Amino acid sequence: EAGVTQFPSHSVIEKGQTVTLRCDPISGHDNLYWYRRVMGKEIKFLLHFVKESKQDESGMPNNRFLAERTGGTYSTLKVQPAELEDSGVYFCASTWGSSYNEQFFGPGTRLTVL
Amino acid sequence: GQQLNQSPQSMFIQEGEDVSMNCTSSSIFNTWLWYKQDPGEGPVLLIALYKAGELTSNGRLTAQFGITRKDSFLNISASIPSDVGIYFCAGRAWANNLFFGTGTRLTVIP
């Protein structure tokens, strides 16, 4: 069974540009999470989807970040316009059934904003 | 939000040595988790702890959920080269999301 996949693996953009990250959770997992790790710091929660609904978006840094999960399958996270402090590794995770079950993480997208 | 202090930040050890790392929180958690991240991969769950005082092992790994519910430690015995990576503690309070520590980067010298 395929794990959580994320695309792209790396993205280098200039300040002010737009970037869209994609996450494909494990098939059948209703819960999908986005996290971000800024260099050397902790992995921080961004938001949680249950199917296509946003359950908790308390970790989203500001309104330059927009997450969607149309149809309750894959999710996208768009950053527009990107700023230097948005650089980091963005992880996606998914769980089956109860959201208290183990979260399976994708390999992450490393975003560099120049 | 909750703050997790994880220490040490990095460790360089000889193969065969034991390793210990810990996390403390400013608030109570209901679940403590320990993850390992290999280069180019996402974090993978090693051990999950659900009760204060719980001591759980997974092969050479042992972790404990502190009595105060504000701390946890992870021990690795007889380290081997493939133990290299970044270890993260994570805690869950009442919501579904996880709060992570800053990570401990482990280097094992053969």
Side-chain angles (χ1 to χ4, degrees), chain A residues 6 18-23 32-36 45-80 90-93:
Chain A
Q6 292 186 244
T18 297
V19 63
T20 300
L21 313 181
R22 174 173 169 141
C23 168
L32 186 150
Y33 305 81
W34 283 98
Y35 293 88
R36 175 174 74 175
F45 167 78
L46 297 178
L47 89 160
H48 169 206
F49 282 101
V50 177
K51 297 186 180 177
E52 67 275 8
S53 300
K54 290 175 186 173
Q55 179 79 9
D56 181 355
E57 51 185 328
S58 60
M60 294 288 262
N62 51 60
N63 59 10
R64 296 185 293 103
F65 289 75
L66 175 64
E68 294 181 321
R69 193 183 181 195
T70 308
T73 53
Y74 71 90
S75 174
T76 56
L77 180 65
K78 182 161 75 173
V79 185
Q80 178 183 32
Y90 289 76
F91 291 106
C92 174

Side-chain angles (χ1 to χ4, degrees), chain B residues 6-21:
Chain B
Q6 184 172 350
S7 64
Q9 284 189 333
S10 62
M11 301 181 77
F12 291 80
I13 61 168
Q14 293 282 344
E15 182 177 358
E17 288 184 343
D18 297 343
V19 172
S20 186
M21 57 193 81

Side-chain angles (χ1 to χ4, degrees), chain B residues 36-55:
Chain B
K36 182 192 177 197
Q37 184 187 6
D38 290 325
E41 305 285 332
V44 173
L45 183 65
L46 299 173
I47 292 181
L49 303 155
Y50 300 103
K51 280 172 52 175
E54 180 181 353
L55 183 72

